[in-house]
Amino acid sequence: MNKCSSFFNLLFIKYIRQQNSNTCSKISGNSPKKSYLSFFQEGRDEYERKYSSFPDALKVKMRGMARDMFYFGYDNYMKFAFPEDELNPIACEGRGPDVLNPSNININDVLGNYSLTLIDALDTLLILGNVTEFHRAVRLVIETVSFDKDSTVQVFEANIRILGSLISAHILLTDPRNPFGDIALKDYDNELLHMAHDLAVRLLPAFENTSTGIPYPRVNLKKGVPPDSINETCTAGAGSLLVEFGILSRLIGDSTFEWVARRAVKALWNLRSNETGLLGNVVNIQTGQWVGRQSGLGAGMDSFYEYLLKSYILFGEKEDNRMFSAAYESIQSHLRRGREACNEGEGDPPLYVNVNMFNGQIMNTWIDSLQAFFPGLQVLNGDVENAICLHAFYYAIWKRFGALPERYNWQLQAPDILFYPLRPELVESTYLLYQATKNPFYLHVGMDILESLEKNAKVRCGYATLHHVVDKSKEDRMESFFLSETCKYLYLLFDEDNPLHKSESKYIFTTEGHIVPVDQRFREKSWEDQFPFLLSFTKICLGCERIPEERRYSLPLKSIYMRQIDHMVGLS
């Protein structure tokens, strides 16, 4: 047993011994009656019996169960919903944008009438080893999907779900090292990369006419920023574009996309509090004033922190690492409550709360399910001990309800918002912790999650959002991230011999679970040698009138700005 595994056993047993202590006593004087640790009822002997091993045969069974779960959702999407964006798994029909109610952003931010679920699931097919279906899906995307649509979508969602998947699939298809075997597609001519570039160009208007450089939250794929667009956006939405935009820039040799994404990150970073180093969750893109002053790890902020670290891992830019390190220090100083050491000392295990960005005072007593991603990020940062502690908190909630409620009140120890849309964050952290520790406990967690989903979310044609985590009533929606992330992480958790784990190449997952290699070519900027004046022109061009639409979408892979550069040079 390795050092991390030994540490985990001691820590978990210590948690069990504390099960009658008060949770978060340092947070509030109104202590709950029982700790979340009371959800783990077994003593040390029971723990050793139940969690210290995981038979190979059971691992094979769980891998098969995860595979079947994916295909039950995917096959029914293809049968009943494609080419629409999502599957309604109860009615067994497709779902697209809510054209009758444009203000329904819960749907319209995500669904752009571009076969979202198929695109989002591309690399999951490859992870499962289904090259034939992967090829068929790629051809379908190339032949049937167009972004020339009168659809107003959220820039963040289009970026992580569509752009990220297209880039990932293209990289996997064209990787000469063939980590997944010979998956070359006959006559493939970089069409997925062309599509990614086309989509990114259609998202660029979000970065125009904003005095801070922070983008508008939504664009119309045909017309640009809607005339009635709001000037407010969340930190994660505006600051989580750099991975996909940066990879695209480096693939096509055009700094435009990385530059606008990086400018947005720096603009947000420069607005952090001088006192705490924290950022808020909603900002005005014209004034730079914080509209939402809550600082936390969940909705509106989560992937901002994630992409600071992952951008550094991918691109090697030291500034990204400096920003992440400073942010992580501020998080530990102002959001973290509980005892100082994760596995020793008096007091309660650590918990990260929502605070006022300017003074660090607690603003409410809930956490949301998106925060369950953070243990995984702590693993990537090398802080495995704290990741183990925090993961135990979220798993305790899952163990109690068989799901993670969207919001959970840590003071009352009860859900504040009761639905669960099949989110992947806890599964992601479970997978990453297993990779870091190889402790079989995390296989048991994965099995628990698999069996809960199978029992509580499976319906006639797929897996449905839980409307209520207590009574297990359902909503007729299966979001695309269920196939692109939840099923993928569950499968990988039990598939030790997956090419992803055996390859000499190293990979990271985007915030939508798409795999991209940590590759030297992404640390090189070809435009610095080829077009030394491109960056300065981009800064000018983004303040100019937009290129006429009749030219804009007909330009080839070469940057839309390159012809403008040629024109300007000709005038000089």
Side-chain angles (χ1 to χ4, degrees):
M1 185 174 290
N2 62 33
K3 182 178 180 181
C4 285
S5 297
S6 300
F7 161 75
F8 177 84
N9 289 344
L10 293 172
L11 173 63
F12 193 81
I13 291 166
K14 184 164 186 172
Y15 271 19
I16 293 169
R17 290 173 176 171
Q18 289 183 321
Q19 62 183 5
N20 293 321
S21 65
N22 289 327
T23 298
C24 305
S25 60
K26 292 186 179 181
I27 300 176
S28 169
N30 299 321
S31 300
K33 294 181 179 179
K34 294 191 297 182
S35 164
Y36 71 80
L37 302 173
S38 64
F39 304 146
F40 301 100
Q41 297 297 332
E42 299 90 349
R44 176 168 184 160
D45 292 341
E46 181 68 10
Y47 166 78
E48 293 289 347
R49 182 191 68 80
K50 184 173 182 180
Y51 295 117
S52 63
S53 65
F54 201 91
D56 288 342
L58 186 57
K59 196 181 300 183
V60 171
K61 179 182 177 181
M62 290 300 105
R63 184 177 68 225
M65 190 173 174
R67 180 194 297 112
D68 293 345
M69 179 174 287
F70 171 82
Y71 281 120
F72 187 68
Y74 176 81
D75 290 344
N76 279 302
Y77 165 77
M78 295 304 296
K79 180 178 180 180
F80 296 108
F82 177 79
E84 294 193 71
D85 287 308
E86 285 181 350
L87 169 69
N88 289 346
I90 296 175
C92 300
E93 62 186 18
R95 178 200 294 265
D98 188 351
V99 295
L100 298 180
N101 182 14
S103 64
N104 184 6
I105 58 175
N106 182 48
I107 297 297
N108 293 331
D109 272 0
V110 178
L111 309 189
N113 194 22
Y114 38 36
S115 301
L116 169 64
T117 295
L118 177 63
I119 294 178
D120 215 0
L122 286 176
D123 65 340
T124 308
L125 290 167
L126 203 53
I127 289 289
L128 268 61
N130 194 339
V131 177
T132 300
E133 183 61 21
F134 174 68
H135 283 169
R136 186 176 84 95
V138 168
R139 288 192 182 96
L140 278 174
V141 169
I142 293 171
E143 294 168 2
T144 67
V145 174
S146 168
F147 301 123
D148 191 22
K149 300 287 178 66
D150 187 14
S151 298
T152 298
V153 296
Q154 191 184 84
V155 174
F156 169 76
E157 296 289 358
N159 173 65
I160 66 169
R161 301 200 197 202
I162 300 292
L163 184 63
S165 185
L166 293 172
I167 291 172
S168 173
H170 166 77
I171 292 171
L172 295 171
L173 270 172
T174 58
D175 190 340
R177 294 165 296 190
N178 296 321
F180 291 90
D182 184 6
I183 63 168
L185 180 61
K186 184 180 179 180
D187 299 325
Y188 178 70
D189 191 26
N190 299 327
E191 288 92 344
L192 296 182
L193 183 59
H194 283 261
M195 294 178 70
H197 182 237
D198 176 40
L199 176 60
V201 167
R202 295 170 187 272
L203 299 179
L204 279 181
F207 297 88
E208 300 172 11
N209 302 316
T210 159
S211 59
T212 61
I214 302 170
Y216 285 90
R218 298 174 184 86
V219 295
N220 183 284
L221 296 178
K222 267 185 177 289
K223 304 171 185 177
V225 177
D228 60 347
S229 182
I230 62 172
N231 288 326
E232 297 173 4
T233 191
C234 70
T235 302
S240 305
L241 309 172
L242 184 52
V243 166
E244 292 83 1
F245 273 42
I247 294 174
L248 178 63
S249 277
R250 292 166 194 247
L251 285 174
I252 67 176
D254 180 351
S255 68
T256 302
F257 306 99
E258 180 172 343
W259 187 83
V260 295
R262 192 171 290 281
R263 180 180 65 165
V265 171
K266 291 180 180 177
L268 288 164
W269 183 249
N270 289 335
L271 295 175
R272 69 193 187 282
S273 167
N274 292 328
E275 296 297 322
T276 65
L278 298 173
L279 293 83
N281 59 345
V282 181
V283 67
N284 185 298
I285 66 172
Q286 302 298 352
T287 66
Q289 296 296 309
W290 289 105
V291 179
R293 298 185 174 189
Q294 176 176 299
S295 192
L297 299 178
M301 300 204 67
D302 49 353
S303 53
F304 176 80
Y305 302 121
E306 177 186 0
Y307 270 23
L308 289 178
L309 180 57
K310 290 183 177 179
S311 294
Y312 172 65
I313 293 171
L314 272 175
F315 307 131
E317 299 284 352
K318 293 181 179 179
E319 183 178 17
D320 295 334
N321 187 44
R322 285 195 293 268
M323 287 189 288
F324 175 78
S325 297
Y328 195 75
E329 183 177 346
S330 294
I331 288 168
Q332 297 301 315
S333 297
H334 299 287
L335 272 62
R336 190 181 188 275
R337 298 297 194 273
R339 61 174 176 253
E340 182 176 351
C342 173
N343 65 323
E344 61 185 6
E346 298 301 320
D348 300 308
L351 177 66
Y352 294 81
V353 300
N354 300 316
V355 304
N356 185 299
M357 64 172 288
F358 293 109
N359 56 31
Q361 296 299 308
I362 293 176
M363 292 190 69
N364 50 57
T365 57
W366 53 259
I367 51 94
D368 65 52
S369 63
L370 289 167
Q371 290 177 245
F373 92 99
F374 198 67
L377 189 64
Q378 290 179 306
V379 169
L380 292 183
N381 193 43
D383 192 359
V384 178
E385 292 190 6
N386 274 307
I388 290 171
C389 287
L390 188 58
H391 175 275
F393 170 71
Y394 295 107
Y395 177 50
I397 300 173
W398 183 285
K399 194 173 177 67
R400 180 179 177 188
F401 298 105
L404 278 186
E406 190 71 354
R407 284 186 185 175
Y408 181 79
N409 191 306
W410 46 258
Q411 186 178 70
L412 301 177
Q413 291 197 10
D416 273 357
I417 298 180
L418 288 151
F419 74 89
Y420 169 65
L422 313 179
R423 291 198 188 278
E425 284 75 17
L426 178 61
V427 187
E428 176 186 8
S429 289
T430 302
Y431 164 71
L432 291 171
L433 271 164
Y434 180 68
Q435 290 301 308
T437 67
K438 295 301 179 183
N439 192 291
F441 170 77
Y442 295 107
L443 298 176
H444 286 276
V445 174
M447 181 171 67
D448 194 358
I449 293 172
L450 256 175
E451 292 176 342
S452 296
L453 290 171
E454 194 70 17
K455 176 183 178 181
N456 299 323
K458 190 173 185 179
V459 292
R460 186 158 61 112
C461 293
Y463 294 83
T465 292
L466 293 184
H467 176 72
H468 196 295
V469 297
V470 178
D471 66 24
K472 304 301 188 291
S473 56
K474 298 169 181 65
E475 297 178 17
D476 197 6
R477 188 177 186 186
M478 187 179 81
E479 293 224 36
S480 67
F481 54 66
F482 177 69
L483 299 183
S484 72
E485 297 185 82
T486 308
C487 291
K488 179 185 292 165
Y489 288 125
L490 284 169
Y491 182 80
L492 284 171
L493 177 64
F494 297 106
D495 190 20
E496 299 274 5
D497 296 324
N498 194 277
L500 191 73
H501 300 144
K502 298 295 186 179
S503 171
E504 293 181 0
S505 302
K506 303 300 181 184
Y507 294 85
I508 65 166
F509 296 88
T510 70
T511 196
E512 186 70 9
H514 300 304
I515 55 175
V516 292
V518 180
D519 195 314
Q520 181 59 37
R521 61 179 162 157
F522 298 142
R523 298 198 167 202
E524 299 169 354
K525 303 176 183 178
S526 59
W527 57 81
E528 291 184 343
D529 297 325
Q530 297 175 25
F531 314 112
F533 49 90
L534 176 59
L535 186 58
S536 59
F537 172 78
T538 301
K539 295 178 181 178
I540 299 170
C541 188
L542 286 172
C544 302
E545 292 185 4
R546 190 150 36 96
I547 296 172
E549 287 182 7
E550 63 268 21
R551 292 187 57 214
R552 180 178 176 198
Y553 300 125
S554 63
L555 294 178
L557 188 60
K558 189 178 180 184
S559 167
I560 61 170
Y561 296 118
M562 295 307 297
R563 290 189 182 182
Q564 295 291 340
I565 292 172
D566 293 341
H567 175 67
M568 290 180 68
V569 171
L571 293 178
S572 61

